Amino acid sequence: MVAAAAWRLFLFFLVTAYNLECTESANRFHPAVKLFRKTNGKVVMDNGIVRITFLRPAGDVTEIQYNGVENVLETHNGECNRAYWDVVWNRPGEHIRLDRLRGTKFSIVGKDKNQIEISFSRKWQHSAWNSTVPLNVDKRYILRRGSAGFYTYTILERPEGWPDFEMDQVRIVLKPDSEMFHFMAISNKIQRVMPTAEDRKLGRQLAYSEAVLLTHPGNPALKGEVDDKYEYSIENRDDKVHGWMSKKLGVGMWVISPSDEYVAGGPLKQDLTSHVGPILLSMFTSTHYTGKDLNTRYRDGKPWRKVYGPVFVYLNSVSGRPRRSYRKLWRDAKSQMKKEVRKWPYGFLQSEHFPCADQRGSVAGQLLVGDKYVNQTLMTANNAYVGLAAPGKAGSWQTDAKGYQFWTRANEEGYFLIKNVRPGNYNLYAFVPGIIGDYKFEANITIKPGSETDLGAIVYHPPRNGPTLWEIGVPDRTASEFFVPDPKPFLTNKLYTHILSDKFRQYGLWDRYTELYPHHDLVYRIGSSKCHEDWFFAHVPRKTGNKTYTAATWQIVFKLRKPSFAGNYTLHLALASAHASELQVHFNDKSVKKPHFSTGLIGKDNAVARHGIHGLYRLYSIPVPRQLLRRGSNRIYLTQSRSNDAFRGIMYDYVRFEGPRELLVDREG
Ligand SMILES: *[C@@H]1O[C@H](CO)[C@@H](O)[C@H](O)[C@H]1NC(C)=O
Ligand SMILES: *[C@@H]1O[C@H](CO)[C@@H](O)[C@H](O)[C@H]1NC(C)=O
Ligand SMILES: *[C@@H]1O[C@H](CO)[C@@H](O)[C@H](O)[C@H]1NC(C)=O
Ligand SMILES: *[C@@H]1O[C@H](CO)[C@@H](O)[C@H](O)[C@H]1NC(C)=O
Ligand SMILES: *[C@@H]1O[C@H](CO)[C@@H](O)[C@H](O)[C@H]1NC(C)=O
């Protein structure tokens, strides 16, 4: 007993000493955080570095004072149109609605001299069913001592039995002052001086409202460029910090996302970041690059709760020569991002629904790949993506928006450790660069507070029916290795003329297909064609006139010395994207009415129009009866049959043709 008590006392001192050390050393020189309720329906948090004003009880941010600037937000906008959370939702079968998640009750959740956490909440009322999403809302904001910014997160929940609805989007919108902020940074490479909202109004709208040709920009250097917010989308995996900078003031404003656990669709889902406005977004859920394949349906009175965030809205400043300021602000924002990532999961949130590190668990293991046609021994899943997400089929994490996801990369030997997993029931999923298909570990994985699960060595056997006779592309879930054309010279975003790897972000590439293949569709010859030159990145319709399109049929020509009588062949078609398309496959005989294989109508990811080099991943492994093949030259016809507009289309990730197993020794080609 005494020993236990002494031990507890020791732990107490240890914890206290540690707390003192970390709070005091960071904060000694900073004033305590303060909270004021103003009589005009506002509430203010101030730590001497930033001062943030909220509308009470709605919970919109209306003013951020920083570095001598009265308000870094757009003061030309109304007070409730500067920084807010919102969701897009609908009742089943009804039109889409926007809900700003305005609170009806303000409360102080916690307050001492080191930190304030406040809440703007709303309980759903059945009488409000027409105007508000059927969820209880709790929006939280945290200001910490010595911190140049604030944290925000929102808890959305529905108890059992509440009505059905859909929620296609959850996000935070911040609108920095348009006179101050002109320079945007999304990544080390994607950074530029941006046009203004006014420039877009004066410009010429192109094929859809988001794409505008800048004809009369205030900054003449931007004349003739195309602006489209989707040119600045990025994968969740890479979206840790983005934002805006003011050269004049030497001030930057950023959204830092320390984790991906709360975003929909896993590491490869793309979404908007920042764009003309200036607008700064934090996207948690959206149907961008997925369409309604993303599961945004809340049904059957199933209870649900999710914590979105927290994200950190960070401000920084530099003094000295303004020419250098962009680079310094960006570098500092990245270094702050790394600090936030190291602090994850934050230990200072007051909500019981956000477990801190010691209430979370971990999963470790080693992923191996078994494919005897590549290597007789098991191979290590070098650099594999390994993640936990809601239980489902292999690959279902791509379309999950309701649960949390926890992803990591395996090392060269395939060893992985997924840390800081919230307690819950999951499946373990993986996919491996260079390998087709999706892995799922068969058993459910239950994470408990403090649990450490070691799965040992686990083996992924990717789809394989026989030896590879030929292949096109590399299995990386994108079409980036294929031929991406130059944009029309009068329809460019100059930024991407300097970033060759991101050429696919240019506007209008879909119409270049018909220019490149004016008389006949693409024919790819195994043995002589090259995928980065001869395989167009998107299988789009052929333009036949003024806004009229027809189906394009691509051909793959290959030789077989003699078809084997031992078994069937297999065609693996891995798709990187599909939009309102149907891919039909014919082997050698295009005249048969019923294609030998069809995907049926698939996809709504809109990746062609939105300059994505991929959307959702799909793999079709098609058995090819040997009777359909012949000795000598063979042709596979690929037809995208739903062709009545420019943006329908398929992107291929990878195509592989396999012979029967027995061909292993006697290779053909
Ligand atoms: C709600 O909307 C339905 C139609 O969707 C309408 O019939 C009903 O009158 C509305 N109720 C209120 C309180 O506005
Ligand atoms: C097969 O796997 C072994 C062990 O991982 C490795 O050393 C070897 O290079 C592999 N061979 C090929 C052809 O990939
Ligand atoms: C795994 O969990 C899901 C969802 O909770 C459940 O439907 C399924 O039966 C479980 N599977 C196994 C093998 O326990
Ligand atoms: C193309 O069609 C649109 C209407 O669909 C029409 O306004 C336009 O003048 C046509 N352009 C040409 C070059 O025929
Ligand atoms: C070959 O394919 C045909 C048609 O799909 C199927 O009926 C047959 O069982 C397959 N043969 C083998 C050996 O897999």
Side-chain angles (χ1 to χ4, degrees):
M1 284 301 276
V2 174
W7 176 243
R8 235 174 283 138
L9 201 63
F10 171 71
L11 277 183
F12 172 79
F13 278 121
L14 198 69
V15 167
T16 317
Y18 176 76
N19 277 345
L20 279 178
E21 208 243 315
C22 49
T23 49
E24 295 297 305
S25 70
N27 292 328
R28 208 168 346 164
F29 307 110
H30 294 293
V33 280
K34 292 198 200 94
L35 181 80
F36 318 88
R37 265 182 225 238
K38 307 223 297 201
T39 48
N40 59 358
K42 290 181 186 156
V43 58
V44 178
M45 297 200 291
D46 190 341
N47 68 359
I49 302 170
V50 279
R51 180 187 159 101
I52 308 140
T53 305
F54 302 87
L55 299 181
R56 190 182 80 216
D60 299 328
V61 178
T62 186
E63 196 179 299
I64 302 173
Q65 203 182 92
Y66 173 72
N67 204 42
V69 183
E70 267 303 301
N71 194 352
V72 295
L73 298 176
E74 180 60 275
T75 48
H76 293 121
N77 289 358
E79 290 193 316
C80 58
N81 184 22
R82 297 175 186 173
Y84 51 85
W85 285 76
D86 68 17
V87 305
V88 170
W89 71 285
N90 63 281
R91 294 197 221 175
E94 291 189 13
H95 62 91
I96 294 274
R97 302 152 196 252
L98 190 73
D99 186 335
R100 283 287 192 81
L101 303 182
R102 296 220 162 88
T104 52
K105 180 180 164 218
F106 166 71
S107 60
I108 301 165
V109 183
K111 177 175 179 302
D112 63 22
K113 61 187 196 305
N114 293 319
Q115 176 174 318
I116 297 167
E117 177 164 344
I118 56 177
S119 156
F120 301 91
S121 62
R122 176 177 91 195
K123 292 256 180 279
W124 185 66
Q125 311 283 341
H126 211 279
S127 58
W129 186 197
N130 280 7
S131 53
T132 62
V133 64
L135 291 169
N136 287 334
V137 177
D138 187 356
K139 283 189 289 187
R140 302 286 183 101
Y141 295 91
I142 298 171
L143 183 65
R144 309 196 77 206
R145 192 176 190 176
S147 171
F150 62 91
Y151 297 87
T152 180
Y153 65 107
T154 285
I155 305 154
L156 298 179
E157 66 176 355
R158 63 183 219 133
E160 196 163 346
W162 279 20
D164 289 357
F165 72 106
E166 286 156 35
M167 184 164 63
D168 285 359
Q169 186 165 287
V170 179
R171 64 174 190 176
I172 301 171
V173 183
L174 296 148
K175 300 183 175 172
D177 184 297
S178 58
E179 271 151 39
M180 297 177 206
F181 294 93
H182 295 287
F183 197 89
M184 189 181 89
I186 308 298
S187 71
N188 284 337
K189 286 190 289 187
I190 306 179
Q191 305 193 356
R192 63 166 294 158
V193 170
M194 292 294 282
T196 63
E198 189 61 20
D199 294 344
R200 284 180 55 91
K201 279 193 207 128
L202 296 173
R204 180 158 67 80
Q205 191 199 303
L206 298 169
Y208 43 83
S209 58
E210 291 89 348
V212 168
L213 179 64
L214 303 171
T215 52
H216 299 85
N219 176 354
L222 306 179
K223 188 168 168 154
E225 287 201 72
V226 174
D227 178 70
D228 180 340
K229 63 183 174 181
Y230 292 102
E231 291 180 343
Y232 305 105
S233 296
I234 208 164
E235 278 86 358
N236 287 340
R237 152 193 88 181
D238 300 323
D239 186 12
K240 289 267 178 282
V241 54
H242 64 265
W244 289 83
M245 293 175 259
S246 164
K247 188 185 269 188
K248 205 162 70 192
L249 302 171
V251 167
M253 183 172 174
W254 311 94
V255 167
I256 292 176
S257 309
S259 166
D260 281 344
E261 71 178 38
Y262 41 72
V263 291
L268 300 189
K269 180 174 182 318
Q270 301 144 95
D271 221 318
L272 296 169
T273 53
S274 286
H275 61 266
V276 169
I279 295 215
L280 184 49
L281 298 174
S282 183
M283 302 296 297
F284 298 99
T285 296
S286 87
T287 51
H288 298 143
Y289 304 93
T290 63
K292 286 291 254 184
D293 285 321
L294 193 75
N295 184 3
T296 60
R297 293 169 289 281
Y298 297 77
R299 293 285 191 272
D300 304 326
K302 272 204 192 141
W304 171 81
R305 178 191 299 120
K306 187 164 174 178
V307 178
Y308 292 92
V311 299
F312 185 46
V313 177
Y314 177 59
L315 293 133
N316 60 2
S317 58
V318 285
S319 44
R321 287 192 301 174
R323 272 192 57 216
R324 293 261 184 88
S325 63
Y326 291 155
R327 221 178 312 156
K328 276 196 191 157
L329 289 167
W330 168 248
R331 242 187 292 148
D332 173 73
K334 274 202 310 181
S335 106
Q336 186 66 34
M337 175 272 281
K338 287 178 187 148
K339 285 182 201 158
E340 299 299 329
V341 169
R342 277 198 297 273
K343 280 191 275 182
W344 189 266
Y346 296 143
F348 52 81
L349 274 65
Q350 299 290 312
S351 171
E352 55 173 332
H353 301 305
F354 185 83
C356 49
D358 62 0
Q359 293 160 353
R360 295 176 175 229
S362 69
V363 177
Q366 184 192 23
L367 182 66
L368 302 169
V369 177
D371 184 344
K372 290 221 167 73
Y373 291 92
V374 177
N375 198 323
Q376 280 302 315
T377 62
L378 290 175
M379 297 170 284
T380 56
N382 185 355
N383 239 346
Y385 290 76
V386 188
L388 293 172
K393 291 196 198 112
S396 58
W397 51 270
Q398 279 197 115
T399 52
D400 183 62
K402 294 185 202 167
Y404 300 98
Q405 303 203 17
F406 302 86
W407 286 87
T408 191
R409 300 294 292 271
N411 70 7
E412 277 176 12
E413 272 91 48
Y415 285 103
F416 61 88
L417 170 61
I418 309 175
K419 290 186 290 191
N420 297 318
V421 185
R422 288 167 154 265
N425 188 26
Y426 301 94
N427 275 146
L428 180 110
Y429 302 99
F431 59 99
V432 189
I435 305 282
I436 58 171
D438 272 287
Y439 172 75
K440 177 188 146 180
F441 182 69
E442 57 274 19
N444 285 346
I445 293 181
T446 302
I447 300 290
K448 298 202 174 97
S451 66
E452 293 176 6
T453 306
D454 189 349
L455 298 175
I458 54 179
V459 183
Y460 172 44
H461 294 283
R464 170 68 80 176
N465 294 319
T468 300
L469 300 186
W470 50 259
E471 59 191 345
I472 303 171
V474 292
D476 64 353
R477 297 184 178 233
T478 80
S480 58
E481 71 273 33
F482 298 128
F483 179 74
V484 181
D486 289 331
K488 292 190 175 142
F490 50 91
L491 288 175
T492 62
N493 179 331
K494 282 189 195 140
L495 174 66
Y496 297 121
T497 59
H498 305 297
I499 312 177
L500 289 182
S501 60
D502 287 32
K503 218 170 156 184
F504 62 84
R505 296 176 183 276
Q506 296 280 12
Y507 172 85
L509 304 183
W510 50 87
D511 273 349
R512 307 236 68 191
Y513 174 74
T514 310
E515 293 165 29
L516 283 161
Y517 297 90
H519 306 301
H520 54 78
D521 284 321
L522 184 156
V523 178
Y524 192 90
R525 292 174 196 284
I526 299 298
S528 60
S529 299
K530 295 191 177 70
C531 79
H532 53 277
E533 289 171 8
D534 303 314
W535 188 272
F536 199 73
F537 78 106
H539 190 161
V540 287
R542 157 179 296 283
K543 195 170 183 177
T544 49
N546 181 11
K547 295 198 174 163
T548 58
Y549 292 86
T550 187
T553 296
W554 292 11
Q555 295 178 46
I556 302 168
V557 183
F558 63 100
K559 286 202 178 72
L560 282 180
R561 240 186 282 139
K562 55 170 183 354
S564 163
F565 284 91
N568 291 328
Y569 290 70
T570 304
L571 178 68
H572 296 286
L573 284 176
L575 305 186
S577 159
H579 184 67
S581 291
E582 175 174 353
L583 185 59
Q584 301 183 340
V585 186
H586 289 81
F587 297 96
N588 283 320
D589 187 357
K590 179 72 177 71
S591 68
V592 292
K593 260 244 160 68
K594 189 172 180 304
H596 296 118
F597 172 82
S598 169
T599 59
L601 180 63
I602 51 167
K604 210 72 203 256
D605 63 29
N606 216 8
V608 170
R610 285 171 173 173
H611 328 288
I613 195 67
H614 71 93
L616 292 180
Y617 178 76
R618 291 178 170 81
L619 175 64
Y620 298 91
S621 296
I622 306 161
V624 188
R626 59 180 142 69
Q627 302 88 304
L628 296 178
L629 302 171
R630 50 171 90 118
R631 186 178 178 143
S633 182
N634 285 266
R635 273 168 206 262
I636 295 175
Y637 297 91
L638 302 169
T639 306
Q640 199 297 91
S641 64
R642 313 269 182 142
S643 55
N644 54 359
D645 78 62
F647 306 119
R648 292 183 174 223
I650 295 275
M651 286 183 210
Y652 299 87
D653 164 34
Y654 174 70
V655 185
R656 183 164 81 207
F657 194 63
E658 292 170 359
R661 289 183 187 283
E662 292 70 16
L663 281 187
L664 185 53
V665 191
D666 177 23
R667 292 241 172 161
E668 308 191 30

